[in-house]
Amino acid sequence: MEEAAVLADYLPLSFKTPKEQEYIEFLWDAFETNHTHGKYQFAFLAYHMLTMSFVYFNIWQIKQTTPKDFAMGLIGFGKDIEKSLLDATSPFVFSTVNERSILRFLKLIACDNGKIGTYAKLVDDRNESAHPNGNIFYSTEAAIDIKITEILRVVAEIQTHSKPVIENCYREFLLQNHDPDEREYPDAADQIREVLIHGNYLSQKDIEICLSFDVESLADCPEIDAIRELHAALVEKYKREDANSAA
């Protein structure tokens, strides 16, 4: 159960609507309740849904940060689906597309066909578990622990591939939000929380990428001092103590 909780670091710290947050909390509750009562097959189904939510949030970040790449990824989809995804106002709109098909978007962050095939196997496992086929695939805690370890390996791999997207997102945030007189919130911490984190569904793992961003790569900008101050505010507010200890 403790290892399973690691997935929370890959999910958004803040959601656009209370309904989205309620949904994720519901899935966590379903996972924990079924796991506690030994209903591991149903615990796996809830955990899979959390994992696919993570995938949707990552694809949403691609859509928001590199919209041209996202549009290219729609090649091969029908016109109705293409329009629906382009006009999407929530990551959960991606749930209207077959899960195997939505995984194709991960090619936009350099996940090759071999890796995507591995990810699709998790979808197959979910399908087998969800159908009334007379089989209980996860009847023991050991069995679901093995599956959770596999899922977390996949999630960490996808997160690694997402790093350029998050870096690009953060770079643009620094360039566009360094001036307290021009941005939505004069206080840097408020701007970071509402515009960067809330606006982009950033997770703790995403923030760790932002924390390690090389601010000096923007040293040629006339506004570099203000940019440094904005980045320093992120570090002060969000750098974890355990990260400091590890360093």
Side-chain angles (χ1 to χ4, degrees), residues 121-141:
K121 177 64 166 58
L122 296 177
V123 176
D124 295 339
D125 292 343
R126 190 285 311 274
N127 289 339
E128 289 179 357
S129 300
H131 291 161
N133 50 31
N135 295 311
I136 302 176
F137 296 99
Y138 306 101
S139 59
T140 66
E141 186 172 0

Side-chain angles (χ1 to χ4, degrees), residues 63-84:
K63 180 180 186 295
Q64 295 297 96
T65 304
T66 56
K68 290 183 180 179
D69 289 345
F70 179 79
M72 288 291 291
L74 288 168
I75 294 174
F77 286 95
K79 288 185 177 180
D80 289 343
I81 293 177
E82 180 178 336
K83 185 178 187 307
S84 173

Side-chain angles (χ1 to χ4, degrees), residues 21-150:
Q21 182 168 348
E22 180 183 359
Y23 176 72
I24 294 299
E25 290 174 350
F26 170 79
L27 292 180
W28 274 119
D29 182 66
F31 168 75
E32 292 169 0
T33 300
N34 282 291
H35 192 285
T36 298
H37 289 86
K39 307 299 183 183
Y40 301 117
Q41 185 115 330
F42 292 111
F44 165 69
L45 294 177
Y47 204 73
H48 174 83
M49 294 170 75
L50 285 166
T51 303
M52 285 307 301
S53 296
F54 157 77
V55 172
Y56 297 155
F57 293 128
N58 273 262
I59 296 172
W60 179 264
Q61 290 166 346
I62 296 171
K63 180 180 186 295
Q64 295 297 96
T65 304
T66 56
K68 290 183 180 179
D69 289 345
F70 179 79
M72 288 291 291
L74 288 168
I75 294 174
F77 286 95
K79 288 185 177 180
D80 289 343
I81 293 177
E82 180 178 336
K83 185 178 187 307
S84 173
L85 297 187
L86 283 174
D87 295 342
T89 58
S90 165
F92 290 105
V93 172
F94 298 141
S95 66
T96 60
V97 180
N98 177 278
E99 288 183 2
R100 276 179 157 270
S101 297
I102 209 70
L103 291 172
R104 286 166 36 192
F105 282 101
L106 297 179
K107 290 184 177 182
L108 298 174
I109 52 174
C111 292
D112 60 29
N113 287 333
K115 289 180 178 179
I116 292 175
T118 300
Y119 309 157
K121 177 64 166 58
L122 296 177
V123 176
D124 295 339
D125 292 343
R126 190 285 311 274
N127 289 339
E128 289 179 357
S129 300
H131 291 161
N133 50 31
N135 295 311
I136 302 176
F137 296 99
Y138 306 101
S139 59
T140 66
E141 186 172 0
I144 194 172
D145 283 350
I146 291 172
K147 180 55 62 176
I148 286 172
T149 298
E150 179 186 351

Side-chain angles (χ1 to χ4, degrees), residues 6 15 17 19 23 43 89 110 165 213 219:
V6 171
F15 298 88
T17 68
K19 184 177 180 181
Y23 176 72
T89 58
V165 173
F213 181 80

